[in-house]
Amino acid sequence: MRLLISILLGLAILAGAFFLSKKLKDSKQPPRARRDQTVNTVYVAPAQNMDLPIMIETNGTIKAQERIELYSEVQGVLLPGKRAFKPGQRYQKGEQLLQMDSKEFYSSLVAQRSNLYNSIVSIMPDLKFDLPESFDQWQAYLNEFDIQKTLKELPEPLNEKEKYFINSRQIVSTYFTIKNLEERLVKYKITAPFSGILTEALVDPGTLIRTGQKLGSLINPAVFELEANINADYLEYLKIGKRVTINDLSGEHTWNGFVKRVNGIIDPATQTVQAFIQLSGAGLTEGMFLEASVTAQTEPNVMEIDRSLLTSDNSVFVVRNDSVLKKESVTVVSVSDRKAMIRGVENGALMLNRALPGAYDGMIVQISNPE
């Protein structure tokens, strides 16, 4: 009996707990959602349309317009010069850059001149008896002949007989062989083709220079070129001689240039065309990274805004009724890296002048600068 009473009492307690928990669950009400009262603060500026020029902006590094890679066309030991052949050394046009030992070659050249002299001397008796009218000009040539100096041009034959006679004695072929050697002798000495500065030096005095070996690089630091990639849409504005304004990255220095050349091919991958802008002035150095601006044309009734204010669907946000954001479509006239030129916002409309993350049409905002 005691066991039965305990079992029934336990079942009664369990049933009561079940019904009590169900009653409490049914009486519980879900909490009311609290409305977010946060209002974003925005900065605005009244729209002001005007006539503005479209600026084609680009950038790139500058390179010297005049530059030359120095190579040796002959072989020889490099001799010490008056000035060290080192990077940064400046040279004037026509000044000697390098000289190689040419004594052996020069001796061979003198021997060839001597052979030519002997050949001409050997024909003089025949000329005197067979071609007396040609004797005097060849005698005058011998009188001025100097094996230590560059050959003068051979006398012109007075008739066909003289021409055949001279060629039969190998005089003309020997003459041109010597002239070729004289041209080669000049290549043992390299002079500056223009006034400039040495940017690379790869050899030192005493080095054996071989034919075809690179010796260094020379540039003219007075005139530079900026290679710019311009959008193909602006190709019609890239006229030869078009004035260009160039600035450094800090904006502290400005140079004037002009369009020197325009490539005739559009890059199919980037849809850009190469334009080469010539510039000169103090403070320019090869390798500098500069920004260039070219005035294309003037557009009426437009305004310039920060590119971050333009949405992906070519719209901008305007504040209406002092508290509601309104998304308005505009016409994009031109776009650069930082700025966008648009048309379609009426004058005086309060337009955002700072981007607002998460902005949407109809958003409630508070103007920070109502004045």
Side-chain angles (χ1 to χ4, degrees):
M1 181 64 68
R2 188 179 295 116
L3 179 60
L4 181 61
I5 294 173
S6 299
I7 293 173
L8 293 175
L9 182 61
L11 291 174
I13 293 174
L14 289 174
F18 173 77
F19 286 109
L20 180 61
S21 64
K22 183 177 181 182
K23 184 176 181 180
L24 292 175
K25 183 178 180 181
D26 293 339
S27 63
K28 184 178 180 181
Q29 295 182 354
R32 294 182 179 180
R34 296 182 61 186
R35 185 176 180 181
D36 189 3
Q37 300 297 325
T38 302
V39 178
N40 290 286
T41 301
V42 295
Y43 293 86
V44 298
Q48 186 176 3
N49 295 289
M50 61 184 69
D51 296 344
L52 293 175
I54 295 179
M55 303 300 295
I56 304 173
E57 297 183 352
T58 184
N59 52 55
T61 56
I62 59 174
K63 296 182 179 179
Q65 183 173 327
E66 284 187 297
R67 61 186 304 115
I68 184 172
E69 305 291 331
L70 303 173
Y71 287 87
S72 175
E73 297 184 65
V74 294
Q75 179 172 309
V77 176
L78 183 64
L79 300 176
K82 294 181 180 179
R83 291 196 285 174
F85 187 74
K86 299 293 183 182
Q89 191 72 264
R90 291 182 176 271
Y91 295 91
Q92 297 299 317
K93 182 178 180 179
E95 187 176 355
Q96 179 178 303
L97 299 175
L98 295 167
Q99 183 175 4
M100 287 165 278
D101 187 2
S102 60
K103 292 180 181 179
E104 182 179 351
F105 186 85
Y106 179 74
S107 298
S108 175
L109 175 59
V110 171
Q112 291 291 334
R113 288 174 183 164
S114 179
N115 291 336
L116 178 62
Y117 182 83
N118 293 333
S119 297
I120 296 176
V121 169
S122 67
I123 68 170
M124 294 306 291
D126 294 331
L127 284 176
K128 186 172 184 179
F129 290 102
D130 298 335
L131 299 167
E133 66 278 9
S134 303
F135 178 81
D136 291 338
Q137 65 174 358
W138 283 97
Q139 184 62 54
Y141 187 79
L142 282 177
N143 295 337
E144 296 178 358
F145 198 102
D146 189 344
I147 62 174
Q148 300 295 333
K149 296 181 180 179
T150 303
L151 287 183
K152 294 184 178 180
E153 190 174 352
L154 291 176
E156 286 291 333
L158 299 180
N159 48 55
E160 291 296 320
K161 186 177 180 181
E162 178 188 350
K163 180 179 178 181
Y164 297 149
F165 177 73
I166 297 301
N167 279 280
S168 67
R169 299 300 181 92
Q170 304 294 321
I171 292 177
V172 176
S173 60
T174 304
Y175 167 81
F176 282 107
T177 299
I178 295 173
K179 294 301 290 186
N180 181 56
L181 295 176
E182 289 177 346
E183 289 295 327
R184 194 162 186 82
L185 178 64
V186 174
K187 296 176 181 179
Y188 279 85
K189 184 184 297 184
I190 301 176
T191 58
F194 51 79
S195 297
I197 184 172
L198 197 68
T199 59
E200 186 180 22
L202 303 177
V203 292
D204 296 307
T207 304
L208 176 61
I209 308 300
R210 302 187 182 278
T211 304
Q213 181 178 344
K214 185 177 180 180
L215 308 176
S217 302
L218 183 73
I219 68 167
N220 182 357
V223 183
F224 295 91
E225 277 188 351
L226 172 66
E227 180 181 336
N229 293 319
I230 307 295
N231 193 308
D233 295 337
Y234 300 123
L235 183 58
E236 60 179 304
Y237 305 115
L238 295 178
K239 304 298 182 182
I240 303 299
K242 184 81 173 180
R243 305 300 299 177
V244 183
T245 302
I246 300 103
N247 303 298
D248 59 4
L249 295 181
S250 65
E252 297 179 358
H253 302 91
T254 302
W255 298 270
N256 293 320
F258 63 92
V259 179
K260 181 73 173 180
R261 303 186 310 279
V262 178
N263 201 335
I265 299 177
I266 297 176
D267 189 333
T270 61
Q271 287 299 296
T272 59
V273 63
Q274 285 180 317
F276 298 89
I277 301 168
Q278 180 176 314
L279 66 156
S280 59
L284 293 174
T285 305
E286 176 158 314
M288 286 181 65
F289 188 84
L290 301 178
E291 297 177 335
S293 300
V294 184
T295 303
Q297 66 178 11
T298 300
E299 286 287 337
N301 196 31
V302 293
M303 63 180 298
E304 191 175 57
I305 62 172
D306 193 277
R307 187 174 179 178
S308 62
L309 300 177
L310 187 66
T311 64
S312 59
D313 57 352
N314 292 339
S315 301
V316 295
F317 283 102
V318 177
V319 177
R320 300 296 185 185
N321 301 323
D322 295 333
S323 61
V324 180
L325 277 186
K326 178 67 176 177
K327 194 175 186 180
E328 296 188 0
S329 298
V330 294
T331 301
V332 180
V333 178
S334 70
V335 178
S336 64
D337 293 339
R338 296 186 295 267
K339 298 291 183 179
M341 188 178 293
I342 63 172
R343 180 186 289 122
V345 181
E346 70 272 16
N347 286 327
L350 297 180
M351 218 179 84
L352 295 188
N353 64 356
R354 296 186 190 178
L356 178 62
Y360 57 87
D361 194 18
M363 184 179 188
I364 304 300
V365 296
Q366 179 182 355
I367 298 177
S368 176
N369 53 340
E371 67 277 5

